[in-house]
Amino acid sequence: MAVRAGRIGLLVAVVAVGAVGLTGCDNVTSLARPSTPVVLTGNDVPKLKGVPPDRVVAFKHEIIGNVGTWTQVPVQVDERKVVAYGSQPANNATAGVEGSVYGNGSGGPTRLQYADPNTFVGADTNPKVDADDEIAFLSSDTGGKPRASDAPEPPGVVAGTGTQVLVADPRGEGEYGYLYLFKSKPGLDPSAGQDYVDYDFVLASGDYKATYKRADGPNPETSTVRTDVYEAGFIDRWKETTWKVLAPGASGVDILDGHKNQFAIDVCGRSNDTFADAEGAFVANIDGPVRAIRSYVGANSGPVTQRTHVFYRDREVVITELRVHPIPGVMDYLDLSAAATGMTYRTSTMPTPVTVDGSADSVPTGVAEWEAYDGPQGQVLTQQVFTSTAGPLTTSSYYRDDAATAEAQCWGDSSLYGAAGAAITSSIPNTDPRNPPFDTLTGVRTTEFGSPAEDDGDIATDAADWAADLATPLSLQITAYAP
Ligand SMILES: [Ca+2]
Ligand SMILES: [Ca+2]
Ligand SMILES: [Ca+2]
Ligand SMILES: [Ca+2]
């Protein structure tokens, strides 16, 4: 289902209790949470260790009309490896060498990164599923559990290689579903013939390894990510400038001027524009059936500052790891385009909406647990969370609606439409691992796209429910499947 909907009722009557504390039945999934990514590691699934990623397949089992059926569903293995960052080359003509993020220099700090043969990170050193690789699927692809009278294993898999993943919702009323992982015989595709996310990484210059200016940008792009529910677009490494909601009922216009970062309001010394204009490199660009991953480094004097976008069918997650000398503060906000005019804006601290129209509104300060834009253009729910090892940091919210703002626009258009987000307004200590001791600061922005609300009265309730789901992950029980 492409529409981001609120909780759905149980699909079937309760006829059995699967386990203590769980309600529902084993015929089909009873999970009622909107489709949610589930990410395991190879370490979680011992039976898949040593299996080639293209032989990892997933199935759900359903009993419909008393007939048990195995259905293949999409699963994605994303390989990871530990590599050094390296350092930006002295000039753009320096050829890269595989084995570090920058493909240059003597190494420096290492981190576990997504592997990509098309960047200088390179392919995983172990081409099979190993402990640190990730295995991703969607909760909406779970099913029930086979009976003794059903076929114990689906066709096309290697007997005895199964793992059962029980996915349960701690927030609900005991809803749960099962997904089964197997090693396939030759002939099955892990995508199960589906492609939830299509990521086209396109540089104006051509091939990444041959043409990317790692010493000194900019590096113009026309990259896009498209699902049934939304489209996102990038014009350079740090510049996400397109959001079109494509869910049913949404107009599909581009509502985003830019996802923006800067030190403070009206301060443009550092921004996505200056980041993209200086050194940088890509860690990985991955386009799979379940998700796309876009991960990169390089933010002026923080050359190992990293941002990783993970795109699922309904959701974009942006993880930003600040790694830089002490800085005075940081903002992370969405600046919408004039095409967002007419959308409403609500937050957990402001259930009564204001209208995005380029005219100023009164909005309370204080970082929100959720923010919601809604209108004929579609619905966008978003949340920004900062976590840090540094001592108490002062945070604040930000909102501007001003078509003819006097405040400096670091990049993008000359207006602020429904511009909103969160900021750390106190100074941030050193976070650069190249220069210990260092603190860590990670920002995670999660954004969910969906159809315009049928009833505006539901927006605040649905958004609060979504934020509560984010705060309470699905629980997993992973066991060897021995039918
Ligand atoms: Ca690995
Ligand atoms: Ca591997
Ligand atoms: Ca307004
Ligand atoms: Ca703007």
Side-chain angles (χ1 to χ4, degrees):
M1 188 173 74
V3 185
R4 191 202 65 76
R7 282 168 188 283
I8 53 177
L10 294 184
L11 294 171
V12 293
V14 174
V15 298
V17 175
V20 174
L22 299 177
T23 62
C25 78
D26 288 337
N27 283 5
V28 297
T29 189
S30 59
L31 285 173
R33 182 181 290 211
S35 185
T36 303
V38 178
V39 181
L40 317 176
T41 65
N43 203 41
D44 296 329
V45 192
K47 282 197 161 190
L48 290 181
K49 280 191 194 169
V51 172
D54 64 359
R55 300 283 287 278
V56 173
V57 293
F59 282 82
K60 66 176 174 180
H61 188 276
E62 294 177 308
I63 301 166
I64 297 170
N66 206 34
V67 178
T69 307
W70 289 101
T71 304
Q72 198 190 343
V73 297
V75 65
Q76 178 172 335
V77 173
D78 293 307
E79 296 194 85
R80 298 191 296 174
K81 65 191 288 195
V82 174
V83 294
Y85 286 101
S87 56
Q88 66 269 36
N91 63 68
N92 287 331
T94 306
V97 177
E98 185 174 305
S100 69
V101 173
Y102 274 100
N104 180 81
S106 55
T110 61
R111 289 290 184 281
L112 182 60
Q113 300 286 6
Y114 288 107
D116 183 349
N118 296 315
T119 69
F120 296 109
V121 170
D124 196 357
T125 46
N126 179 341
K128 311 278 180 65
V129 174
D130 58 86
D132 58 23
D133 298 341
E134 289 187 336
I135 303 162
F137 61 89
L138 294 184
S139 68
S140 48
D141 282 327
T142 60
K145 192 177 181 181
R147 301 163 296 192
S149 58
D150 293 319
E153 294 181 340
V157 305
V158 178
T161 61
T163 297
Q164 174 181 285
V165 184
L166 169 58
V167 183
D169 191 344
R171 270 199 74 222
E173 297 174 348
E175 298 94 339
Y176 63 93
Y178 294 93
L179 184 121
Y180 294 86
L181 296 165
F182 291 93
K183 177 182 181 182
S184 76
K185 297 174 184 169
L188 295 182
D189 187 322
S191 73
Q194 308 258 21
D195 190 10
Y196 293 152
V197 182
D198 183 23
Y199 175 27
D200 290 323
F201 174 60
V202 182
L203 296 171
S205 57
D207 176 69
Y208 171 75
K209 280 185 181 174
T211 69
Y212 204 76
K213 297 175 181 174
R214 289 166 292 131
D216 186 15
N219 286 279
E221 293 183 42
T222 56
S223 299
T224 57
V225 175
R226 192 177 171 101
T227 80
D228 285 349
V229 178
Y230 67 96
E231 179 180 315
F234 294 82
I235 60 168
D236 205 332
R237 195 171 67 255
W238 284 90
K239 291 181 167 179
E240 184 170 9
T241 56
T242 297
W243 273 358
K244 297 176 181 176
V245 183
L246 306 178
S251 68
V253 296
D254 176 7
I255 58 172
L256 186 64
D257 183 30
H259 174 196
K260 297 189 170 182
N261 303 96
Q262 57 208 57
F263 285 162
I265 297 166
D266 212 23
V267 173
C268 292
R270 288 291 175 262
S271 73
N272 311 70
D273 192 54
T274 68
F275 300 162
D277 192 46
E279 85 290 340
F282 274 90
V283 172
N285 290 291
I286 296 170
D287 178 17
V290 174
R291 61 181 184 173
I293 298 169
R294 170 186 169 93
S295 185
Y296 50 87
V297 299
N300 296 108
S301 51
V304 301
T305 290
Q306 184 167 356
R307 176 166 280 183
T308 302
H309 304 249
V310 187
F311 300 93
Y312 296 92
R313 188 181 55 193
D314 310 271
R315 176 181 298 185
E316 176 182 0
V317 184
V318 182
I319 303 128
T320 310
E321 293 161 290
L322 187 73
R323 297 180 181 126
V324 68
H325 54 73
I327 59 173
V330 71
M331 299 177 70
D332 187 289
Y333 67 100
L334 303 171
D335 182 14
L336 302 188
S337 70
T341 295
M343 295 184 86
T344 57
Y345 173 75
R346 291 171 173 78
T347 76
S348 56
T349 63
M350 185 186 70
T352 302
V354 296
T355 301
V356 176
D357 55 7
S359 300
D361 307 293
S362 176
V363 170
T365 56
V367 175
E369 291 172 12
W370 54 262
E371 301 168 72
Y373 298 96
D374 190 278
Q377 298 92 331
Q379 184 175 91
V380 177
L381 307 181
T382 194
Q383 179 198 67
Q384 171 72 29
V385 175
F386 295 113
T387 56
S388 179
T389 58
L393 298 171
T394 306
T395 54
S396 173
S397 66
Y398 168 77
Y399 183 83
R400 291 284 194 279
D401 199 20
D402 187 348
T405 179
E407 289 170 351
Q409 297 298 289
C410 305
W411 57 287
D413 65 24
S414 58
S415 303
L416 290 166
Y417 280 98
I424 294 172
T425 55
S426 55
S427 60
I428 300 166
N430 177 52
T431 52
D432 192 338
R434 301 174 309 158
N435 183 24
F438 62 96
D439 280 293
T440 61
L441 174 61
T442 302
V444 177
R445 176 176 288 280
T446 306
T447 301
E448 191 97 0
F449 301 91
S451 295
E454 291 179 11
D455 180 346
D456 283 2
D458 294 337
I459 296 170
T461 307
D462 288 351
D465 201 33
W466 173 77
D469 280 347
L470 290 182
T472 312
L474 295 168
S475 69
L476 305 175
Q477 282 180 34
I478 304 164
T479 51
Y481 176 57

mmCIF file of all heavy atoms in Angstrom, residues 354-361 399 401, ligand 3:
data_model
loop_
_atom_site.group_PDB
_atom_site.id
_atom_site.type_symbol
_atom_site.label_atom_id
_atom_site.label_comp_id
_atom_site.label_asym_id
_atom_site.label_seq_id
_atom_site.Cartn_x
_atom_site.Cartn_y
_atom_site.Cartn_z
ATOM 1 N N VAL A 354 -0.595 27.104 11.371
ATOM 2 C CA VAL A 354 -0.439 28.348 10.618
ATOM 3 C C VAL A 354 -0.382 27.958 9.138
ATOM 4 O O VAL A 354 -0.249 26.780 8.798
ATOM 5 C CB VAL A 354 0.833 29.110 11.035
ATOM 6 C CG1 VAL A 354 0.727 29.555 12.482
ATOM 7 C CG2 VAL A 354 2.089 28.278 10.801
ATOM 8 N N THR A 355 -0.519 28.958 8.270
ATOM 9 C CA THR A 355 -0.535 28.689 6.838
ATOM 10 C C THR A 355 0.772 29.152 6.203
ATOM 11 O O THR A 355 1.219 30.271 6.426
ATOM 12 C CB THR A 355 -1.723 29.411 6.175
ATOM 13 O OG1 THR A 355 -2.928 28.956 6.788
ATOM 14 C CG2 THR A 355 -1.775 29.121 4.677
ATOM 15 N N VAL A 356 1.362 28.265 5.423
ATOM 16 C CA VAL A 356 2.556 28.619 4.657
ATOM 17 C C VAL A 356 2.099 29.485 3.475
ATOM 18 O O VAL A 356 1.374 29.005 2.592
ATOM 19 C CB VAL A 356 3.270 27.349 4.146
ATOM 20 C CG1 VAL A 356 4.454 27.732 3.258
ATOM 21 C CG2 VAL A 356 3.712 26.468 5.306
ATOM 22 N N ASP A 357 2.476 30.768 3.502
ATOM 23 C CA ASP A 357 2.018 31.668 2.440
ATOM 24 C C ASP A 357 2.979 32.841 2.240
ATOM 25 O O ASP A 357 2.656 33.801 1.541
ATOM 26 C CB ASP A 357 0.611 32.197 2.743
ATOM 27 C CG ASP A 357 0.524 32.859 4.104
ATOM 28 O OD1 ASP A 357 1.584 33.035 4.757
ATOM 29 O OD2 ASP A 357 -0.586 33.183 4.544
ATOM 30 N N GLY A 358 4.161 32.784 2.866
ATOM 31 C CA GLY A 358 5.112 33.884 2.724
ATOM 32 C C GLY A 358 4.799 35.073 3.601
ATOM 33 O O GLY A 358 5.466 36.106 3.504
ATOM 34 N N SER A 359 3.781 34.938 4.474
ATOM 35 C CA SER A 359 3.451 35.996 5.432
ATOM 36 C C SER A 359 3.717 35.471 6.839
ATOM 37 O O SER A 359 3.357 34.332 7.163
ATOM 38 C CB SER A 359 1.976 36.386 5.322
ATOM 39 O OG SER A 359 1.700 36.846 4.034
ATOM 40 N N ALA A 360 4.288 36.339 7.685
ATOM 41 C CA ALA A 360 4.774 35.897 8.989
ATOM 42 C C ALA A 360 3.663 35.326 9.859
ATOM 43 O O ALA A 360 2.507 35.746 9.786
ATOM 44 C CB ALA A 360 5.447 37.056 9.707
ATOM 45 N N ASP A 361 4.026 34.368 10.687
ATOM 46 C CA ASP A 361 3.109 33.717 11.617
ATOM 47 C C ASP A 361 3.739 33.742 12.999
ATOM 48 O O ASP A 361 4.941 33.876 13.138
ATOM 49 C CB ASP A 361 2.895 32.248 11.221
ATOM 50 C CG ASP A 361 2.482 32.099 9.789
ATOM 51 O OD1 ASP A 361 1.370 32.535 9.455
ATOM 52 O OD2 ASP A 361 3.286 31.569 8.990
ATOM 53 N N TYR A 399 11.384 29.048 12.947
ATOM 54 C CA TYR A 399 10.308 29.122 11.955
ATOM 55 C C TYR A 399 10.324 30.495 11.302
ATOM 56 O O TYR A 399 10.453 31.513 11.981
ATOM 57 C CB TYR A 399 8.929 28.888 12.597
ATOM 58 C CG TYR A 399 7.819 28.904 11.560
ATOM 59 C CD1 TYR A 399 7.526 27.769 10.803
ATOM 60 C CD2 TYR A 399 7.093 30.073 11.309
ATOM 61 C CE1 TYR A 399 6.544 27.792 9.828
ATOM 62 C CE2 TYR A 399 6.109 30.107 10.333
ATOM 63 C CZ TYR A 399 5.836 28.963 9.599
ATOM 64 O OH TYR A 399 4.869 28.984 8.627
ATOM 65 N N ASP A 401 8.271 32.499 7.865
ATOM 66 C CA ASP A 401 7.426 32.500 6.668
ATOM 67 C C ASP A 401 7.469 33.931 6.158
ATOM 68 O O ASP A 401 6.850 34.820 6.731
ATOM 69 C CB ASP A 401 6.008 32.053 7.043
ATOM 70 C CG ASP A 401 5.194 31.592 5.841
ATOM 71 O OD1 ASP A 401 5.792 31.245 4.794
ATOM 72 O OD2 ASP A 401 3.955 31.568 5.950
HETATM 73 CA CA CA B 3 2.098 32.309 7.043
#
